Amino acid sequence: MKLLVCAMETSSNIHLRELKKHFCDDVEMVGVFDKELGNPLYDLTALAIMGFVDALKKLRFFFKLRDELVELAKDCDKVLLMDSSGFNLPLAKKLKATYPNKEIIYYILPQAWAWKQGRVKKLEAYCSKLCSIIPFESEIYNDKNKITYVGHPLLDEITNFKEELNTSGKIAFMPGSRKTEIKNHMPVFKELAKQIPNKKHILIIPSKFDDEYINKIYGDISNFTISREAHETLQEAEYGFICSGTATLEAALIGTPFTLSYVAKKFDYAIGRMFVKLNHVGLANIFFEKMGKEQIHSEFLQEEVSVENLLNDYKNMDKKLFFENSKVLREYLQNGSSQNVASIIQN
């Protein structure tokens, strides 16, 4: 089988790496993905975009890339699109128009359940099969035969879950991966570390950041121990302070109590609140609300992100209840997704 793949995000390629483990030997991937996984049309570094102006500069390139992928699909048996709806939805539309009978599979769907529900009609029109990683996601789709809950990729990628709460004396700090997130969180996290003495403070930094970038964005981090291994550090840590994102779900699944915080630019936050109609920002909390349960962890947003608020949450959180709820969360998500998606692709 020759499979056209478009996986443009770093996270998508982590999921693709797990997925590839379940492919038969005769599956050949072509298209856009991490060069460690094969021989892509383009290396991912050529696709990196930072901001609106950069996106405009690269617009012509992305139109060219779309056309190249459509041409490449001519000799492919099936198509796999992962995340990146801004590029992959228009690509799916053109693929469907060019090859009406070619099977197009979408894995890691755009979060239409949170905002832009109009994308549901497009996904159903352009794609043959929709692989969902959110248990309740199918509720907003009309064609129930197209969408399948396949499990969650983090249950493939996290290999160890806590069997009990630990008192390792290690506190994990995850200020996010975007420049604005890091700059907004680091002053609070630095002061917070001072307010929690006699502990080992571990700052988790994405492996893609080099020393020059770290010095520029993080400032003085001499009081922290640096880690590049998020799952391993969360497993060892007795507590975490984590910027909103996938990392909060990772910690919740592993069973490490944590406090979620998020500080965005005021304009971006205001726009987000206008369009995203959710009571929570943390995925674990969103899942628990769907189950009819109380939130599993606290959330502090914008002006609420203060040393005092985060410190109080650390001191007062019911960590045993959190730990029991982490087991409920794993049961809710059921299993990893990669084996099920590989089966859908290869059948």
Side-chain angles (χ1 to χ4, degrees), residues 117-225:
Q117 289 203 7
R119 291 175 292 185
V120 168
K121 290 182 179 179
K122 294 178 180 179
L123 285 161
E124 290 182 327
Y126 309 150
C127 301
S128 315
K129 294 176 181 175
L130 305 170
C131 299
S132 168
I133 64 169
I134 306 292
F136 58 82
E137 195 164 27
S138 63
E139 294 173 6
I140 63 170
Y141 284 79
N142 297 311
D143 191 341
K144 306 300 183 188
N145 293 321
K146 279 195 175 183
I147 187 165
T148 304
Y149 176 66
V150 291
H152 202 284
L154 287 182
L155 291 179
D156 289 319
E157 294 151 21
I158 299 171
T159 54
N160 292 304
F161 305 98
K162 287 187 177 179
E163 296 180 3
E164 59 184 4
L165 288 172
N166 64 33
T167 52
S168 63
K170 297 178 180 179
I171 308 290
F173 293 83
M174 299 185 74
S177 58
R178 295 181 176 87
K179 182 167 67 173
T180 302
E181 294 170 346
I182 296 165
K183 287 198 167 186
N184 285 336
H185 281 87
M186 280 311 297
V188 177
F189 282 3
K190 288 175 185 179
E191 184 58 34
L192 195 57
K194 293 177 185 177
Q195 296 293 325
I196 309 175
N198 305 317
K199 300 285 184 181
K200 185 174 183 180
H201 303 119
I202 304 174
L203 182 63
I204 301 174
I205 296 178
S207 57
K208 63 183 178 182
F209 293 167
D210 59 28
D211 290 343
E212 182 181 354
Y213 185 84
I214 292 168
N215 290 334
K216 179 181 176 182
I217 303 303
Y218 288 79
D220 181 9
I221 51 175
S222 57
N223 291 329
F224 293 91
T225 299

Side-chain angles (χ1 to χ4, degrees), residues 250-316:
E250 291 171 342
L253 288 170
I254 289 169
T256 303
F258 69 94
T259 299
L260 177 152
S261 60
Y262 189 69
V263 188
K265 293 177 181 176
K266 289 183 178 180
F267 178 77
D268 292 344
Y269 182 77
I271 295 295
R273 295 303 289 180
M274 284 175 58
F275 291 103
V276 181
K277 304 301 182 183
L278 296 172
N279 295 321
H280 303 287
V281 299
L283 273 171
N285 281 339
I286 292 169
F287 292 152
F288 264 60
E289 184 178 27
K290 282 290 180 179
M291 287 187 271
K293 297 178 179 293
E294 294 292 322
Q295 67 179 37
I296 182 174
H297 60 79
S298 299
E299 298 182 352
F300 295 96
L301 311 176
Q302 299 299 96
E303 290 80 8
E304 297 173 347
V305 180
S306 66
V307 175
E308 182 182 9
N309 284 343
L310 271 56
L311 187 61
N312 285 339
D313 197 52
Y314 164 72
K315 291 178 178 178
N316 298 318

